[in-house]
Amino acid sequence: PQTLPAAPSTSSTRPSTPLSTNDIPFIMLSARAGDASRAQGIERGAEDYLVKPFIARELIARIHTQLMNKQIRNQLSNLVDEKTIELKRKNEQLEHFIDTICHEIRNPLNGIFNNAEFLLTMLEDRKTAMKKFISQ
């Protein structure tokens, strides 16, 4: 069987991978036991940390769990994307509705303002005519 070369403990980070595999869950297998080593592995990008020697059944269970978690994250991400699109569509509908309501409110008000201006002009003309009549 082929084994991976041992990496220095200071370089235990998520492997540099092409973008197409970057979202694959990474389980760190290490001979370093202890909470500090486990925390360091997680902080450096591992989704899970397993200490050697490990039980194959436990590794398989952790792989299964990570794959299930990945599937759930993907489903949630897709749901968020769908809801975002739906929310944008509803927001556009709301904006259109608000524009329509504003237009419907402005139309009668424009008529009122125009008639008010006409009446003020008429009143001013009559006032001018009355002043002219009185001054004669």
Side-chain angles (χ1 to χ4, degrees):
Q2 198 174 26
T3 60
L4 293 173
S9 62
T10 56
S11 68
S12 299
T13 58
R14 179 181 262 288
S16 178
T17 58
L19 291 176
S20 62
T21 60
N22 214 19
D23 63 344
I24 295 174
F26 174 55
I27 299 174
M28 183 177 283
L29 302 175
S30 175
R32 295 177 65 198
D35 293 339
S37 296
R38 185 180 306 274
Q40 186 179 32
I42 301 296
E43 287 169 356
R44 291 186 176 185
E47 279 77 19
D48 203 349
Y49 188 96
L50 195 56
V51 177
K52 296 176 191 175
F54 58 89
I55 301 166
R57 189 172 177 182
E58 181 182 5
L59 177 60
I60 292 170
R62 289 179 184 239
I63 290 170
H64 178 72
T65 299
Q66 288 302 323
L67 292 174
M68 292 297 291
N69 288 344
K70 175 69 176 128
Q71 185 179 20
I72 290 168
R73 282 192 302 270
N74 286 345
Q75 289 172 348
L76 288 174
S77 178
N78 290 340
L79 184 61
V80 166
D81 291 345
E82 289 172 14
K83 293 298 179 182
T84 300
I85 291 169
E86 182 181 335
L87 187 59
K88 285 179 180 178
R89 185 179 50 78
K90 287 185 177 187
N91 193 37
E92 288 172 0
Q93 289 174 343
L94 180 61
E95 286 176 3
H96 177 71
F97 176 74
I98 289 170
D99 288 346
T100 301
I101 293 297
C102 288
H103 176 75
E104 293 301 322
I105 290 172
R106 259 186 261 125
N107 271 350
L109 289 178
N110 283 337
I112 292 170
F113 289 138
N114 289 337
N115 285 331
E117 279 184 45
F118 174 73
L119 290 173
L120 286 173
T121 304
M122 232 171 103
L123 184 62
E124 195 61 40
D125 289 348
R126 289 198 185 260
K127 185 177 168 185
T128 304
M130 287 293 273
K131 279 185 183 179
K132 224 183 211 183
F133 179 75
I134 292 175
S135 63
Q136 289 180 351

